[in-house]
Amino acid sequence: MSRVPRPPLDGLIDDLYYLEGAPPYARLTLPPGPSALLIVNLGAPFRIRAGTDIETAEYADGCVVTMPTRAFEFGYPPETRSVGVHFKPWGPAPFLPMPAAELCDRPVTVEQVWGRPAIAELRDRLATADEPHEMLTLLEEELMRRLCETAGLGLVRHTSSVIAATSGAVAIGDLSAAAGVSSTHLTQRFKELIGVTPKRLARTYRFAATVFAINPAGPIDWGDLAGGAGYFDQAHFGHEFRAFTGLTPTRYVEVRRRFLREHPGHALDGWPLPAD
């Protein structure tokens, strides 16, 4: 279950969620999207592999993931239970004690961000809550308490919203000119508060919009899809697809169809992919 938080958190967060049960697969690949993530874990530890060149790490208390640039593999226990936050790309910045760039493609524990006493107390309160709605309220109150003024957030949020509204089809130079700042200043603010450059954010929004337009249950004209999304040609589209997912477009659809076939109507269908 999930819900949108009240203002001003709704300008930073897409939703707060509660997740419990058996995962559809022991390992799921999460392609990079225009979002960030906070998980407060209430069950057995889970594992994350942030790229093929990085060792798998275990997370007991939960994790914080700023907007990724590569696919992550999540390994789940047979039963999982957690509450979490799906942030907008700029959303974690007011809650982080360090620049987002330091966490890019490097998930950290919640303890590393908020400290051991604070996360231990929060997990205890969440674990003893009567029902999921109360748990989401507790998490929302914690976020409200920790919300800080963040220099440059207005600029990054406004510019990112324009990128999102155009699904990444906007000239980054035009954005800095419209904001009245240099492209260097805009890039520095983006890396500090989101962890990536405006150009990378635009690429991610474009890719996500393209993928969500795919109906794996029906026929797909890859040329039309690539052209409609603004890719130079089908080869460019295929290169981006492999960069974001590690899969060719054809293989991606095969994996999505497997998910649909084996878990029809599952809440997680659409973005995570079976890694087994």
Side-chain angles (χ1 to χ4, degrees), residues 152-168:
L153 184 61
L155 169 65
V156 170
R157 176 178 169 180
H158 172 74
T159 307
S160 299
S161 297
V162 175
I163 293 173
T166 61
S167 297

Side-chain angles (χ1 to χ4, degrees), residues 72-94:
F72 287 6
E73 182 184 286
F74 281 71
Y76 290 101
E79 292 289 329
T80 187
R81 184 170 184 251
S82 62
V83 293
V85 183
H86 290 123
F87 285 105
K88 299 178 188 297
W90 57 89

Side-chain angles (χ1 to χ4, degrees), residues 2-27:
S2 67
R3 74 170 188 231
V4 177
R6 67 185 186 274
L9 293 178
D10 61 340
L12 303 168
I13 292 169
D14 286 323
D15 69 357
L16 310 172
Y17 71 87
Y18 173 77
L19 181 67
E20 181 178 6
Y25 301 96
R27 296 185 299 129

Side-chain angles (χ1 to χ4, degrees), residues 56 75 249:
T56 301

Side-chain angles (χ1 to χ4, degrees), residues 1-186:
M1 64 170 292
S2 67
R3 74 170 188 231
V4 177
R6 67 185 186 274
L9 293 178
D10 61 340
L12 303 168
I13 292 169
D14 286 323
D15 69 357
L16 310 172
Y17 71 87
Y18 173 77
L19 181 67
E20 181 178 6
Y25 301 96
R27 296 185 299 129
L28 286 166
T29 296
L30 189 69
S35 63
L37 181 65
L38 165 72
I39 300 173
V40 181
N41 188 41
L42 303 175
F46 58 88
R47 301 169 70 85
I48 300 177
R49 189 180 187 189
T52 56
D53 57 335
I54 296 178
E55 290 291 325
T56 301
E58 188 171 88
Y59 297 83
D61 69 344
C63 68
V64 176
V65 179
T66 56
M67 203 195 95
T69 69
R70 57 173 72 187
F72 287 6
E73 182 184 286
F74 281 71
Y76 290 101
E79 292 289 329
T80 187
R81 184 170 184 251
S82 62
V83 293
V85 183
H86 290 123
F87 285 105
K88 299 178 188 297
W90 57 89
F95 308 99
L96 295 177
M98 71 284 283
E102 293 184 13
L103 305 185
C104 185
D105 294 333
R106 297 182 179 277
V108 293
T109 66
V110 186
E111 178 184 321
Q112 289 173 283
V113 176
W114 287 350
R116 179 176 296 181
I119 186 58
E121 179 188 357
L122 177 60
R123 290 179 74 209
D124 284 345
R125 286 190 288 131
L126 290 170
T128 56
D130 290 333
E131 45 86 27
H133 281 291
E134 182 182 348
M135 297 168 78
L136 296 186
T137 297
L138 288 171
L139 181 58
E140 184 173 355
E141 289 172 349
E142 181 71 16
L143 291 165
M144 284 292 295
R145 189 177 68 81
R146 291 183 173 275
L147 184 61
C148 296
E149 289 289 329
T150 305
L153 184 61
L155 169 65
V156 170
R157 176 178 169 180
H158 172 74
T159 307
S160 299
S161 297
V162 175
I163 293 173
T166 61
S167 297
V170 61
I172 303 304
D174 293 345
L175 292 176
S176 57
V181 299
S182 69
S183 59
T184 300
H185 178 80
L186 187 64

Side-chain angles (χ1 to χ4, degrees), residues 157-239:
R157 176 178 169 180
H158 172 74
T159 307
S160 299
S161 297
V162 175
I163 293 173
T166 61
S167 297
V170 61
I172 303 304
D174 293 345
L175 292 176
S176 57
V181 299
S182 69
S183 59
T184 300
H185 178 80
L186 187 64
T187 296
Q188 288 174 339
R189 284 302 193 191
F190 263 68
K191 293 190 76 171
E192 180 183 353
L193 301 185
I194 296 180
V196 300
T197 65
K199 184 176 180 179
R200 179 69 201 201
L201 180 66
R203 280 180 62 194
T204 306
Y205 268 113
R206 178 168 63 171
F207 178 76
T210 306
V211 168
F212 285 131
I214 295 173
N215 176 12
I220 301 167
D221 187 319
W222 293 111
D224 284 351
L225 189 69
Y231 290 99
F232 180 71
D233 54 24
Q234 197 167 332
H236 178 207
F237 174 62
H239 180 271

